[in-house]
Amino acid sequence: KITFSCKHLSLNIFAKVLMSRKSPPKNYSYHRKASHAGSWYSDDGEELHEQLGKWLENVDTKNLSFPPLSSKHKSENLPRFRAIIAPHAGLSYSGPTAAYAYAHLDPIHVKRIFVLGPSHHVYLDGCAVSVASHLVTPLGDLKVDEQITDDLLGTGKFQTISQDVDEDEHSIEMHLPFVKRRMGTRAFTVVAIMVGSTTEESDREYGSILAPYLSDPSNFFIVSSDFCHWGAKFRFQPHDKKHGAVHEYIKWLDHLGIGFLESNDIDGFYSYLEEHQNTICGRHPICTFLQAIRYASAETSSGSVGSTPFSITFVKYDQSSKCKGKRDSSVSY
């Protein structure tokens, strides 16, 4: 049994923890260990390869529908899918659902992958990048894109993650085996970004920085987030009985938020988070990414943001367990 704990990153921070507990390493001087292998997922490469492959094979794409491709996409043979939002819980729980997202990562077009994950263990009021040279997985190492990481640091808006903080955090690591399984032996690089407790203003700032990379069809974005964390241990137990049993209420609450994402309604999503306080641990990476979509949109002649060429489509939902009462708990994916 693989156990996990995905703590809700509350807007009310009870203790401020320094980002670097040790002196930061020289940039790109270390390989980030697969620190959660053997507990959150298998540390046996062959077993993990087979497990991920089975989940990917089980993805039913027949019942999935997407908006039609534009003439530009068709004429220039551009990739249909440019990003995914996928969970980061223990793979025995979230892996089958995550596979529905990863089935849409097209390795043919991708040269660089950005992974945006929340910070669960340290307080961070902005964004920080991993300065490891490689990210280790049981399936093989992933090379960090040093040039792009340096460019982000050059904006003066990004911090660096110390090695111990880097290896403590699971939100980015949990995606790396899927990335390696899908990309195989193809050459590509990774940019790992930890997103802290950003504000709407800083979401816009980071979104504007990331927008040009999102506009590049050779880049692919992974936004790491579970959805509702319901239960006493998460200090979140609302239940409106008009939506049915607890697990049905949770599903309603999650899909309410998903509706704003599918509508590209970032203002509505902010309002939804404020009103319902849903414990979506990747709310900050999601909001930063939505702002990147907004800034990557076509601009009008006056320079304001126009209609977005991107659409968001929901493909799969699950819960770690079906809550029926106050003693139960679950995490949604």
Side-chain angles (χ1 to χ4, degrees):
K1 180 180 179 180
I2 300 177
T3 60
F4 69 93
S5 172
C6 189
K7 298 178 180 177
H8 167 47
L9 183 59
S10 172
L11 293 179
N12 297 314
I13 304 298
F14 292 95
K16 185 170 182 178
V17 184
L18 294 177
M19 191 60 193
S20 297
R21 302 178 201 151
K22 300 177 182 178
S23 298
K26 182 180 179 181
N27 288 2
Y28 319 117
S29 64
Y30 69 96
H31 284 52
R32 185 203 178 279
K33 296 184 297 184
S35 53
H36 294 77
S39 54
W40 291 47
Y41 59 96
S42 176
D43 57 359
D44 183 295
E46 291 186 7
E47 178 183 335
L48 182 60
H49 184 275
E50 181 178 351
Q51 185 180 47
L52 296 174
K54 184 178 298 183
W55 288 332
L56 289 165
E57 289 173 6
N58 289 338
V59 172
D60 180 9
T61 59
K62 295 179 182 178
N63 295 321
L64 301 179
S65 60
F66 301 96
L69 288 172
S70 66
S71 57
K72 179 180 176 65
H73 269 80
K74 293 178 180 178
S75 63
E76 298 184 16
N77 192 30
L78 296 175
R80 176 189 282 272
F81 305 107
R82 304 288 294 282
I84 57 175
I85 299 174
H88 54 239
L91 289 186
S92 66
Y93 293 94
S94 67
T97 303
Y100 271 77
Y102 276 97
H104 299 96
L105 194 171
D106 182 359
I108 296 176
H109 294 94
V110 175
K111 303 298 182 185
R112 183 183 301 110
I113 295 177
F114 290 74
V115 187
L116 280 62
S119 174
H120 288 82
H121 307 298
V122 299
Y123 176 75
L124 175 65
D125 60 5
C127 291
V129 290
S130 172
V131 289
S133 63
H134 293 79
L135 309 177
V136 177
T137 83
L139 304 179
D141 298 352
L142 310 183
K143 181 173 174 52
V144 169
D145 195 309
E146 298 180 12
Q147 180 60 60
I148 299 301
T149 301
D150 283 343
D151 290 346
L152 294 178
L153 289 171
T155 66
K157 302 299 181 181
F158 289 79
Q159 303 178 42
T160 58
I161 308 171
S162 65
Q163 182 175 355
D164 60 325
V165 170
D166 196 351
E167 293 175 346
D168 281 349
E169 180 56 58
H170 64 275
S171 69
I172 293 174
E173 178 185 339
M174 297 306 296
H175 291 276
L176 304 182
F178 264 116
V179 168
K180 182 60 178 174
R181 183 66 173 83
R182 290 294 290 147
M183 294 300 294
T185 59
R186 294 180 181 274
F188 71 100
T189 55
V190 176
V191 180
I193 303 175
M194 184 184 291
V195 182
S197 298
T198 52
T199 63
E200 185 173 345
E201 181 180 357
S202 58
D203 287 337
R204 289 194 294 268
E205 185 172 49
Y206 287 111
S208 67
I209 294 172
L210 295 175
Y213 300 106
L214 179 59
S215 297
D216 183 343
S218 68
N219 292 331
F220 191 87
F221 276 70
I222 297 167
V223 183
S224 177
S225 183
D226 300 328
F227 270 67
C228 182
H229 298 58
W230 196 96
K233 64 182 179 180
F234 302 118
R235 299 189 297 278
F236 189 75
Q237 293 180 291
H239 178 211
D240 187 339
K241 293 182 179 179
K242 75 178 182 182
H243 296 292
V246 173
H247 65 90
E248 293 172 316
Y249 165 79
I250 294 171
K251 182 177 180 180
W252 168 83
L253 180 63
D254 282 335
H255 279 75
L256 183 63
I258 290 169
F260 289 109
L261 300 184
E262 287 196 288
S263 301
N264 274 313
D265 184 357
I266 186 170
D267 296 323
F269 190 65
Y270 280 124
S271 297
Y272 159 81
L273 292 173
E274 178 65 27
E275 179 180 353
H276 296 281
Q277 295 294 304
N278 193 3
T279 47
I280 301 172
C281 56
R283 59 171 62 190
H284 297 295
I286 289 174
C287 289
T288 296
F289 178 69
L290 291 176
Q291 293 289 3
I293 289 178
R294 174 176 280 183
Y295 280 97
S297 303
E299 294 188 354
T300 64
S301 58
S302 62
S304 61
V305 177
S307 61
T308 175
F310 299 97
S311 63
I312 299 176
T313 302
F314 165 76
V315 295
K316 186 66 173 175
Y317 178 81
D318 202 0
Q319 298 171 358
S320 61
S321 63
K322 302 299 183 185
C323 291
K324 297 180 179 179
K326 294 291 186 179
R327 295 183 179 182
D328 299 330
S329 65
S330 73
V331 179
S332 305
Y333 318 120

mmCIF file of all heavy atoms in Angstrom, residues 212-229:
data_model
loop_
_atom_site.group_PDB
_atom_site.id
_atom_site.type_symbol
_atom_site.label_atom_id
_atom_site.label_comp_id
_atom_site.label_asym_id
_atom_site.label_seq_id
_atom_site.Cartn_x
_atom_site.Cartn_y
_atom_site.Cartn_z
ATOM 1 N N PRO A 212 4.931 33.706 -23.143
ATOM 2 C CA PRO A 212 5.658 33.439 -24.392
ATOM 3 C C PRO A 212 6.084 31.980 -24.532
ATOM 4 O O PRO A 212 6.125 31.452 -25.653
ATOM 5 C CB PRO A 212 6.889 34.365 -24.287
ATOM 6 C CG PRO A 212 6.468 35.443 -23.352
ATOM 7 C CD PRO A 212 5.580 34.776 -22.354
ATOM 8 N N TYR A 213 6.370 31.324 -23.417
ATOM 9 C CA TYR A 213 6.735 29.910 -23.472
ATOM 10 C C TYR A 213 5.511 29.059 -23.798
ATOM 11 O O TYR A 213 5.614 28.065 -24.526
ATOM 12 C CB TYR A 213 7.349 29.472 -22.142
ATOM 13 C CG TYR A 213 8.593 30.236 -21.768
ATOM 14 C CD1 TYR A 213 8.572 31.204 -20.758
ATOM 15 C CD2 TYR A 213 9.802 30.010 -22.424
ATOM 16 C CE1 TYR A 213 9.710 31.909 -20.418
ATOM 17 C CE2 TYR A 213 10.953 30.717 -22.094
ATOM 18 C CZ TYR A 213 10.891 31.667 -21.087
ATOM 19 O OH TYR A 213 12.024 32.367 -20.753
ATOM 20 N N LEU A 214 4.348 29.452 -23.270
ATOM 21 C CA LEU A 214 3.122 28.735 -23.586
ATOM 22 C C LEU A 214 2.766 28.896 -25.060
ATOM 23 O O LEU A 214 2.215 27.976 -25.676
ATOM 24 C CB LEU A 214 1.978 29.249 -22.705
ATOM 25 C CG LEU A 214 0.603 28.617 -22.908
ATOM 26 C CD1 LEU A 214 0.649 27.111 -22.657
ATOM 27 C CD2 LEU A 214 -0.429 29.281 -21.996
ATOM 28 N N SER A 215 3.094 30.029 -25.635
ATOM 29 C CA SER A 215 2.794 30.284 -27.042
ATOM 30 C C SER A 215 3.658 29.458 -27.983
ATOM 31 O O SER A 215 3.317 29.301 -29.157
ATOM 32 C CB SER A 215 2.970 31.772 -27.358
ATOM 33 O OG SER A 215 2.058 32.561 -26.624
ATOM 34 N N ASP A 216 4.775 28.951 -27.488
ATOM 35 C CA ASP A 216 5.685 28.145 -28.296
ATOM 36 C C ASP A 216 5.163 26.710 -28.358
ATOM 37 O O ASP A 216 5.109 26.026 -27.335
ATOM 38 C CB ASP A 216 7.082 28.175 -27.664
ATOM 39 C CG ASP A 216 8.124 27.420 -28.472
ATOM 40 O OD1 ASP A 216 7.750 26.599 -29.341
ATOM 41 O OD2 ASP A 216 9.325 27.629 -28.226
ATOM 42 N N PRO A 217 4.775 26.214 -29.533
ATOM 43 C CA PRO A 217 4.176 24.870 -29.621
ATOM 44 C C PRO A 217 5.130 23.725 -29.297
ATOM 45 O O PRO A 217 4.681 22.586 -29.153
ATOM 46 C CB PRO A 217 3.701 24.791 -31.075
ATOM 47 C CG PRO A 217 4.542 25.780 -31.811
ATOM 48 C CD PRO A 217 4.812 26.887 -30.841
ATOM 49 N N SER A 218 6.428 24.010 -29.153
ATOM 50 C CA SER A 218 7.362 22.949 -28.769
ATOM 51 C C SER A 218 7.450 22.778 -27.261
ATOM 52 O O SER A 218 8.123 21.869 -26.769
ATOM 53 C CB SER A 218 8.761 23.235 -29.339
ATOM 54 O OG SER A 218 9.351 24.370 -28.714
ATOM 55 N N ASN A 219 6.753 23.672 -26.525
ATOM 56 C CA ASN A 219 6.708 23.575 -25.066
ATOM 57 C C ASN A 219 5.401 22.923 -24.627
ATOM 58 O O ASN A 219 4.360 23.099 -25.254
ATOM 59 C CB ASN A 219 6.817 24.958 -24.425
ATOM 60 C CG ASN A 219 8.175 25.588 -24.620
ATOM 61 O OD1 ASN A 219 9.186 24.893 -24.736
ATOM 62 N ND2 ASN A 219 8.225 26.917 -24.678
ATOM 63 N N PHE A 220 5.479 22.203 -23.511
ATOM 64 C CA PHE A 220 4.287 21.557 -22.938
ATOM 65 C C PHE A 220 4.266 21.889 -21.457
ATOM 66 O O PHE A 220 5.300 21.846 -20.781
ATOM 67 C CB PHE A 220 4.352 20.042 -23.144
ATOM 68 C CG PHE A 220 3.075 19.325 -22.836
ATOM 69 C CD1 PHE A 220 2.095 19.186 -23.804
ATOM 70 C CD2 PHE A 220 2.844 18.778 -21.577
ATOM 71 C CE1 PHE A 220 0.894 18.518 -23.542
ATOM 72 C CE2 PHE A 220 1.660 18.109 -21.293
ATOM 73 C CZ PHE A 220 0.687 17.982 -22.276
ATOM 74 N N PHE A 221 3.074 22.225 -20.941
ATOM 75 C CA PHE A 221 2.942 22.615 -19.538
ATOM 76 C C PHE A 221 2.179 21.547 -18.765
ATOM 77 O O PHE A 221 1.151 21.043 -19.225
ATOM 78 C CB PHE A 221 2.199 23.949 -19.413
ATOM 79 C CG PHE A 221 3.088 25.153 -19.574
ATOM 80 C CD1 PHE A 221 3.623 25.468 -20.817
ATOM 81 C CD2 PHE A 221 3.391 25.964 -18.488
ATOM 82 C CE1 PHE A 221 4.448 26.576 -20.979
ATOM 83 C CE2 PHE A 221 4.221 27.073 -18.632
ATOM 84 C CZ PHE A 221 4.751 27.382 -19.889
ATOM 85 N N ILE A 222 2.688 21.224 -17.580
ATOM 86 C CA ILE A 222 2.015 20.325 -16.642
ATOM 87 C C ILE A 222 1.713 21.118 -15.382
ATOM 88 O O ILE A 222 2.628 21.668 -14.758
ATOM 89 C CB ILE A 222 2.890 19.110 -16.304
ATOM 90 C CG1 ILE A 222 3.152 18.270 -17.561
ATOM 91 C CG2 ILE A 222 2.237 18.258 -15.216
ATOM 92 C CD1 ILE A 222 4.243 17.238 -17.383
ATOM 93 N N VAL A 223 0.449 21.210 -15.028
ATOM 94 C CA VAL A 223 0.028 21.916 -13.821
ATOM 95 C C VAL A 223 -0.372 20.856 -12.800
ATOM 96 O O VAL A 223 -1.283 20.065 -13.029
ATOM 97 C CB VAL A 223 -1.140 22.872 -14.102
ATOM 98 C CG1 VAL A 223 -1.517 23.640 -12.839
ATOM 99 C CG2 VAL A 223 -0.778 23.839 -15.227
ATOM 100 N N SER A 224 0.323 20.842 -11.684
ATOM 101 C CA SER A 224 0.167 19.793 -10.686
ATOM 102 C C SER A 224 -0.850 20.198 -9.624
ATOM 103 O O SER A 224 -0.652 21.181 -8.904
ATOM 104 C CB SER A 224 1.523 19.512 -10.025
ATOM 105 O OG SER A 224 1.415 18.560 -8.997
ATOM 106 N N SER A 225 -1.947 19.432 -9.538
ATOM 107 C CA SER A 225 -2.946 19.751 -8.512
ATOM 108 C C SER A 225 -3.891 18.589 -8.277
ATOM 109 O O SER A 225 -4.394 17.974 -9.227
ATOM 110 C CB SER A 225 -3.778 20.973 -8.918
ATOM 111 O OG SER A 225 -4.693 21.319 -7.888
ATOM 112 N N ASP A 226 -4.144 18.282 -7.016
ATOM 113 C CA ASP A 226 -5.300 17.494 -6.643
ATOM 114 C C ASP A 226 -6.460 18.478 -6.467
ATOM 115 O O ASP A 226 -6.270 19.698 -6.509
ATOM 116 C CB ASP A 226 -5.053 16.746 -5.335
ATOM 117 C CG ASP A 226 -3.866 15.793 -5.429
ATOM 118 O OD1 ASP A 226 -3.627 15.259 -6.530
ATOM 119 O OD2 ASP A 226 -3.186 15.592 -4.402
ATOM 120 N N PHE A 227 -7.660 17.942 -6.258
ATOM 121 C CA PHE A 227 -8.790 18.836 -6.000
ATOM 122 C C PHE A 227 -9.215 18.696 -4.535
ATOM 123 O O PHE A 227 -8.360 18.685 -3.654
ATOM 124 C CB PHE A 227 -9.904 18.600 -7.028
ATOM 125 C CG PHE A 227 -9.739 19.488 -8.236
ATOM 126 C CD1 PHE A 227 -8.669 19.320 -9.106
ATOM 127 C CD2 PHE A 227 -10.616 20.525 -8.478
ATOM 128 C CE1 PHE A 227 -8.489 20.157 -10.193
ATOM 129 C CE2 PHE A 227 -10.453 21.381 -9.561
ATOM 130 C CZ PHE A 227 -9.385 21.192 -10.422
ATOM 131 N N CYS A 228 -10.475 18.594 -4.246
ATOM 132 C CA CYS A 228 -10.937 18.723 -2.870
ATOM 133 C C CYS A 228 -10.268 17.732 -1.913
ATOM 134 O O CYS A 228 -10.211 16.533 -2.178
ATOM 135 C CB CYS A 228 -12.447 18.534 -2.813
ATOM 136 S SG CYS A 228 -13.139 18.732 -1.154
ATOM 137 N N HIS A 229 -9.781 18.239 -0.779
ATOM 138 C CA HIS A 229 -9.288 17.433 0.338
ATOM 139 C C HIS A 229 -10.343 17.551 1.440
ATOM 140 O O HIS A 229 -10.448 18.578 2.104
ATOM 141 C CB HIS A 229 -7.948 17.973 0.850
ATOM 142 C CG HIS A 229 -6.841 17.929 -0.154
ATOM 143 N ND1 HIS A 229 -6.911 18.555 -1.376
ATOM 144 C CD2 HIS A 229 -5.621 17.329 -0.098
ATOM 145 C CE1 HIS A 229 -5.787 18.343 -2.037
ATOM 146 N NE2 HIS A 229 -4.988 17.608 -1.297
#
